[in-house]
Amino acid sequence: MWFEHLNTQLAQREAAQLTRRLRVATSGTAPHQRVLGADGRERELLMFCSNDYLGLAAHPAIAHALVEGARQWGGGSGASPLVSGHTAAHEAVAQWLGDAYAPHIPQARALGFCTGYMANLGVVTALGDAEAELFCDRLNHASLIDGARLARARVQLYPHADTAALDALLAASAARRKLIVTDSVFSMDGDVAPLAELLALAERHDALLLVDEAHGLGVLGQRGLGAIEAAGLRSERLVLVGTLGKAAGVAGAFVVAHGPVLEYLLQTARNYIFSTASPPALEHAVLAGLRLIAGSEGVQRRAALRERIAQWREGVRAVLAQHPELPWRLLESPTPVQALVLGDNAAAMRLSAALEAQGLRVPGIRPPTVPEGSARLRVTLCATHSAADVSRLVAALALAAQTLDVSGRCRELAA
Ligand SMILES: *Cc1c(COP(=O)(O)O)cnc(C)c1O
């Protein structure tokens, strides 16, 4: 019974162009990375899919800190944080984060998690108890959606970034406690949530505002603290989640919140309490990554990243202007997450394959990761991409635009 069912399901996914495939990289994440092909042969590809936005994963200071941390602390932490897994290396990261976010959150304190997915599940389920109501942007990341599904709270979805609709939902709610939940930078669209307005709504309706800075940390704000720094926000109602495996170049995640909120999370977030603390060597490397983000090197890398983003947007707009027959649409985004929406699943996957044939890896993203009918290429840019790398991407896209038809199949070249 089981195998027949599973094979049918898999065949259906395949027919709908929804099969996902694992690929093996044989060098570390970087704009030029070696990857094994289906034939088992190694090939260097120009990558536009990593979330290592500042290129810190390959930074020598991080590798050095990992080695130094491993020498000092060895391998695993041995236990959950409240038992014996919380080391001075973990504490140093929490202290750094508490200090860094103090201008934005009064009495800021931080709590570490092993991944951003875990942090979101932990925070949303802990705050979203049976007396609470959650108000979630429709385009929130899967981990926030899963947190809301697991939480005992009632869940309301509001249309993407629609603060008027959210205001009406909050006004209509009779819940004792309300929590607004949003990505800061939307992971598949790249746009930034209207955080100042969301915070004003949180204040007006006595709610907390949970902001997931997975794609904001390292990228936005003078010190790279994220969209809330860029927006200049300050409130004890802010609850921030950040991941450390993206721009911070290592792994893990954190929650930063006002003292009493943080203390409550420490006492009640089940996947904080019942999960082994991360290896201390990782935390030692995370501290190095955070210092790079907030320091002068971070400032320089953010400036380089902004140049690449501007170059890409200008280049792709020129390609689109030459091909009004194609239904391709570049979403508005000031961040390194750049979405080129094609709509059709097969068309997006064919375009991705056409770029790969030219030596570029730009993933096609399909439902359920994005809404039905909005399959896309998701280009991510890094500070370590050169101007020539971005030019190559734009040129490859221009060639694909000439040779593919609306559904992404090859058409005869016009004379
Ligand atoms: C990647 C991501 C996460 C999960 O973080 P991990 O550390 O990779 O588990 C959470 N939220 C958003 C918006 C993300 O993009």
Side-chain angles (χ1 to χ4, degrees):
M1 242 19 288
W2 265 108
F3 301 125
E4 191 186 316
H5 166 72
L6 300 180
N7 285 326
T8 312
Q9 293 290 314
L10 290 172
Q12 278 172 8
R13 297 180 81 87
E14 183 69 34
Q17 306 269 339
L18 288 174
T19 302
R20 299 165 185 252
R21 293 202 163 80
L22 260 182
R23 332 219 345 181
V24 179
T26 52
S27 65
T29 183
H32 297 264
Q33 188 175 30
R34 289 195 300 280
V35 178
L36 290 188
D39 56 4
R41 290 247 288 277
E42 208 175 41
R43 201 172 159 215
E44 186 177 288
L45 293 175
L46 176 53
M47 311 293 274
F48 290 96
C49 42
S50 165
N51 303 314
D52 175 30
Y53 300 122
L54 300 182
L56 294 186
H59 196 290
I62 297 223
H64 177 78
L66 264 176
V67 171
E68 195 176 69
R71 285 219 176 91
Q72 183 178 352
W73 297 99
S77 69
S80 61
L82 290 164
V83 175
S84 63
H86 187 70
T87 66
H90 297 82
E91 185 59 23
V93 170
Q95 287 285 346
W96 191 97
L97 289 165
D99 292 346
Y101 284 99
H104 302 288
I105 303 176
Q107 288 176 43
R109 281 177 58 198
L111 207 61
F113 285 81
C114 288
T115 71
Y117 190 103
M118 278 293 169
N120 280 336
L121 286 194
V123 176
V124 174
T125 53
L127 296 177
D129 63 21
E131 289 186 347
E133 190 161 350
L134 305 175
F135 299 84
C136 305
D137 190 293
R138 257 187 201 290
L139 295 190
N140 278 350
H141 187 260
S143 55
L144 290 171
I145 295 171
D146 292 355
R149 284 182 182 154
L150 272 177
R152 301 180 64 194
R154 194 162 162 212
V155 179
Q156 303 277 0
L157 298 183
Y158 60 90
H160 179 50
D162 187 339
T163 48
L166 173 60
D167 191 16
L169 286 173
L170 286 163
S173 167
R176 311 250 326 237
R177 290 181 294 281
K178 299 167 195 169
L179 176 66
I180 304 169
V181 181
T182 186
D183 284 17
S184 73
V185 173
F186 286 86
S187 56
M188 294 300 139
D189 291 49
D191 59 328
V192 182
L195 293 176
E197 289 153 298
L198 293 176
L199 184 56
L201 287 181
E203 258 142 30
R204 181 163 348 131
H205 296 282
D206 191 19
L208 291 180
L209 174 60
L210 190 167
V211 180
D212 179 351
E213 290 273 22
H215 301 278
L217 181 73
V219 168
L220 298 175
Q222 177 62 25
R223 304 184 64 210
L225 297 179
I228 65 124
E229 186 198 2
L233 303 185
R234 175 177 171 83
S235 170
E236 55 264 293
R237 295 179 183 278
L238 285 170
V239 180
L240 296 189
V241 177
T243 65
L244 297 163
K246 292 174 178 164
V250 188
F254 63 85
V255 181
V256 185
H258 182 53
V261 178
L262 203 284
E263 183 61 26
Y264 182 77
L265 292 174
L266 185 145
Q267 300 299 330
T268 60
R270 291 173 61 81
N271 53 10
Y272 179 76
I273 298 172
F274 298 108
S275 187
T276 301
S278 62
L282 276 188
E283 297 300 315
H284 194 63
V286 159
L287 189 60
L290 289 171
R291 286 182 173 145
L292 285 168
I293 282 177
S296 60
E297 200 163 340
V299 172
Q300 281 163 21
R301 287 180 183 232
R302 279 187 286 284
L305 183 56
R306 282 194 296 272
E307 277 176 31
R308 296 292 91 82
I309 295 168
Q311 184 195 349
W312 149 258
R313 291 192 66 84
E314 194 179 312
V316 76
R317 280 204 193 101
V319 173
L320 297 184
Q322 286 198 328
H323 293 280
E325 78 283 4
L326 291 174
W328 300 0
R329 205 158 51 85
L330 179 68
L331 299 189
E332 268 319 310
S333 161
T335 71
V337 177
Q338 295 286 324
L340 185 63
V341 174
L342 283 80
D344 181 59
N345 294 349
M349 299 322 282
R350 286 194 193 104
L351 178 55
S352 175
L355 294 176
E356 183 146 344
Q358 298 186 57
L360 293 95
R361 171 97 180 103
V362 188
I365 308 281
R366 297 156 286 186
T369 310
V370 294
E372 287 295 334
S374 73
R376 64 195 63 188
L377 286 190
R378 177 177 183 265
V379 173
T380 55
L381 297 164
C382 299
T384 40
H385 280 121
S386 67
D389 290 338
V390 175
S391 297
R392 226 181 109 194
L393 171 60
V394 172
L397 207 59
L399 183 66
Q402 271 171 35
T403 52
L404 301 180
D405 68 9
V406 172
S407 66
R409 287 195 179 79
C410 258
R411 66 175 172 220
E412 286 187 280
L413 279 171

